[in-house]
Amino acid sequence: RAGLGGAWGIAAWESGREVIDYYAVLQVSPSADAKILEKAYRHFAQMYHPDHAKTADIEKFQAVIEAYN
């Protein structure tokens, strides 16, 4: 995920691996409820899905899926 950068939630490195802020990936507050998380997930998954979007980006799509799971 080296190309994702700060806006995509890579907050720091810990013991040689990246620590990802999944709330930043979905661009929601840590206090967001399940409904808001699902809405953000659907929005970004659709935006970056390789089969459905003009702005397809597989790394970002995978980051969104990982953040939601």
Side-chain angles (χ1 to χ4, degrees), residues 14-38:
E14 179 180 287
S15 302
R17 62 189 176 111
E18 57 194 66
V19 177
I20 300 172
D21 179 0
Y22 294 119
Y23 294 105
V25 171
L26 294 175
Q27 297 182 15
V28 296
S29 153
S31 63
D33 63 13
K35 210 176 226 185
I36 292 172
L37 290 171
E38 182 176 1

Side-chain angles (χ1 to χ4, degrees), residues 31-55:
S31 63
D33 63 13
K35 210 176 226 185
I36 292 172
L37 290 171
E38 182 176 1
K39 185 176 180 179
Y41 162 73
R42 289 179 182 267
H43 170 77
F44 288 111
Q46 184 177 16
M47 181 184 292
Y48 296 114
H49 194 284
D51 293 337
H52 302 289
K54 292 180 183 178
T55 59

